Amino acid sequence: MKILILGSGQVGSTIAQNLSAMPDNDVTIIDIDETALHTLGSRLDVQTMLGNAASPKVLEQAGAADTDLLLAVTRSDETNLVACKIAADLFNIPNRIARVRSSEYLEYRPDNEEIENSLSLFEVTDSISPEQLVTERLASLLSYTSTLQVLKFAEDKAKMVIVQAHKGGLLVNKEIAQINSHLPDGVDCQICAIYRNNQLIVPSARTVIIEGDEVCFVAASSDVKAIMRELRPLEQSTRRVMIAGGGNIGFRLAKQLESKLDIKIIEYNHSRALWLAENLDQTLVLHGSATDESLLTEEYIDEVDIFCAVTNDDENNIMSGLLAKNFGAKRVIAIVNRSSYVDLLEGNKIDIVVSPHLVTIGSILAHIRRGDVVAVHPLRRGTAEAIEVVVHGDEKTSALVGRRVSEVKWPQGCHFAALVREDQVIMGHKEDAVMAEGDHLIFFVSRRRVLRELEKLIQVKMGFFG
């Protein structure tokens, strides 16, 4: 696949790193930053071109005429949108994905019924809003206290959850097989992976879960809390939340949750703080710095259930998070862009580090994978993935339809987690389950190099279209 990436910032470089590592991908990056291009070109197997990403001449020189996919991920919404329009009208690039940050573009609905939204005017086939993706990730984490990651599948009928095992969990220091003696009738789960001292353990029924293990499991959404009780003691539900940063993410998160939780938001910019106060209904807006010790103390940081640091500055998020934890906040979540910081921080004083670029790359990878791939979520800082696919075809045109789970030779490192059929969630250990047209399959992939083998299994033979 020939891919043009516009923009070599954090998002663009992360995408380039992932896509260039896949076989048969020919990646070219366009940017006006010569230094950044030189760094990427020396580090990755990609071509680079210096120039304006919205210039028809530059796009032509980069090979737009025979490009399969355009990823417009510069920092400018306008540049991304214009580039998609040019790519469609002049070069007929079939797939055009734009990074769009402004809610004005995303939420505007014209009166003209023939126009779906403002993005369609620019011939954008798919849009990605990193801020919205991160907001959704944070909202999921706030809904399930003590989780490290929460991922939704099959329209939220199933969830994959990563949680650290603690003393007091019913299954801690016991074999996984004993989970059935604790769970209510009808409640089930699939434990997909265990990370112990950063080493992957592929669990069996005889595997013993010990304190400190990071356990990845899949369950029906309604059963998640019952499964979490197996891995750690029940904790008081989240009620008090303090958000550091009133930008797009902070505002969206507060707006989404203020009717359910007691929220305080700290914003340094005075005019922005006034705007937040006018546009939020039940959130207390504080003007000041989240690294101000006296402000944190005066606002009873020791009574806060979760402190979310979501400013645009990594160092500010880290420092405010460390201060909040030191002053008694029960749990701290921080947005951190630099991947080197993520590895250093997570699991120490800061409980959860959210990387916007890993969240964004998951959304983009869902468009890149072959077959009917619904969702791709990077796990363990990108070393593993959770993938949701939809099965199509029949017994003649599909390698999966009409076959039992146990009959399929899954690629090594690809672990079948669950099957979702309408409102039914069937766990991966039910090996007699027969896969059917329209089923949603969920996989935990611990070795990314086997993804191509999985894609081949998913793909429908050409007879399906005859």
Side-chain angles (χ1 to χ4, degrees), residues 146-206:
S146 305
T147 56
L148 298 175
Q149 202 159 356
V150 181
L151 306 173
K152 300 176 183 179
F153 296 98
E155 299 177 341
D156 203 18
K157 293 170 186 171
K159 286 187 173 75
M160 179 178 286
V161 177
I162 300 178
V163 63
Q164 190 172 51
H166 278 202
K167 185 178 180 181
L170 300 176
L171 197 61
V172 176
N173 296 323
K174 296 183 176 69
E175 292 182 352
I176 289 175
Q178 295 185 42
I179 193 170
N180 293 324
S181 63
H182 309 142
L183 294 176
D185 291 341
V187 175
D188 198 2
C189 78
Q190 174 73 30
I191 296 180
C192 311
I194 296 172
Y195 282 90
R196 184 175 296 165
N197 299 322
N198 288 321
Q199 296 297 314
L200 171 67
I201 297 173
V202 179
S204 68
R206 304 302 301 272

Side-chain angles (χ1 to χ4, degrees), residues 109-128:
R109 295 291 181 269
D111 294 333
N112 188 337
E113 294 181 1
E114 296 180 2
I115 301 173
E116 184 179 349
N117 54 49
S118 61
L119 298 185
S120 62
L121 297 172
F122 295 94
E123 305 291 346
V124 175
T125 54
D126 285 289
S127 65
I128 294 166

Side-chain angles (χ1 to χ4, degrees), residues 388-404:
E388 176 189 354
V389 306
V390 178
V391 178
H392 289 303
D394 54 32
E395 293 185 21
K396 294 181 180 179
T397 59
S398 169
L400 302 178
V401 173
R403 290 164 177 78
R404 291 187 178 88

Side-chain angles (χ1 to χ4, degrees), residues 271-453:
S271 59
R272 179 66 176 179
L274 290 175
W275 184 91
L276 291 169
E278 292 173 0
N279 288 274
L280 292 169
D281 300 319
Q282 301 173 50
T283 298
L284 177 62
V285 179
L286 305 168
H287 174 230
S289 170
T291 57
D292 184 340
E293 300 176 24
S294 59
L295 177 60
L296 294 176
T297 304
E298 288 169 7
E299 295 300 328
Y300 304 102
I301 187 66
D302 57 321
E303 296 180 4
V304 167
D305 295 313
I306 297 185
F307 180 89
C308 290
V310 297
T311 73
N312 292 323
D313 186 277
D314 282 357
E315 286 76 13
N316 196 19
N317 290 340
I318 293 166
M319 290 308 299
S320 63
L322 293 174
L323 278 172
K325 192 74 170 183
N326 195 47
F327 285 136
K330 296 179 181 63
R331 198 159 177 78
V332 172
I333 302 173
I335 287 180
V336 177
N337 289 284
R338 292 183 62 175
S339 57
S340 56
Y341 286 1
V342 174
D343 295 336
L344 287 172
L345 294 167
E346 191 163 64
N348 295 315
K349 285 283 187 180
I350 294 178
D351 299 286
I352 301 176
V353 178
V354 175
S355 167
H357 309 305
L358 283 179
V359 175
T360 303
I361 189 68
S363 180
I364 292 172
L365 288 176
H367 298 283
I368 307 300
R369 304 294 190 213
R370 295 181 178 88
D372 197 346
V373 179
V374 179
V376 179
H377 299 285
L379 302 170
R380 297 291 300 178
R381 295 173 282 283
T383 59
E385 286 183 354
I387 298 179
E388 176 189 354
V389 306
V390 178
V391 178
H392 289 303
D394 54 32
E395 293 185 21
K396 294 181 180 179
T397 59
S398 169
L400 302 178
V401 173
R403 290 164 177 78
R404 291 187 178 88
V405 172
S406 58
E407 292 176 341
V408 179
K409 186 178 180 182
W410 304 108
Q412 188 175 3
C414 176
H415 310 286
F416 182 80
L419 179 157
V420 182
R421 181 179 300 153
E422 296 180 348
D423 293 329
Q424 186 181 16
V425 183
I426 302 168
M427 295 304 136
H429 58 79
K430 306 283 188 182
E431 295 190 341
D432 288 337
V434 177
M435 291 170 282
E437 155 79 16
D439 284 351
H440 288 244
L441 309 183
I442 303 169
F443 298 93
F444 174 87
V445 179
S446 60
R447 300 167 61 206
R448 298 184 64 188
R449 60 179 176 271
V450 307
L451 288 170
R452 194 170 183 185
E453 296 174 55

Side-chain angles (χ1 to χ4, degrees), residues 11 14 20 30 38-39 66 91 93 98-99 107 116 124 135 174 177 182 196 228 237 310 316 369 399 440 448 452 465:
V11 173
T14 305
S20 63
I30 301 174
H38 177 74
T39 302
D66 60 350
F91 302 109
I93 297 177
R99 174 192 183 186
E107 297 170 5
E116 184 179 349
V124 175
T135 301
K174 296 183 176 69
H182 309 142
R196 184 175 296 165
M228 287 181 61
S237 60
V310 297
N316 196 19
R369 304 294 190 213
H440 288 244
R448 298 184 64 188
R452 194 170 183 185
F465 303 100

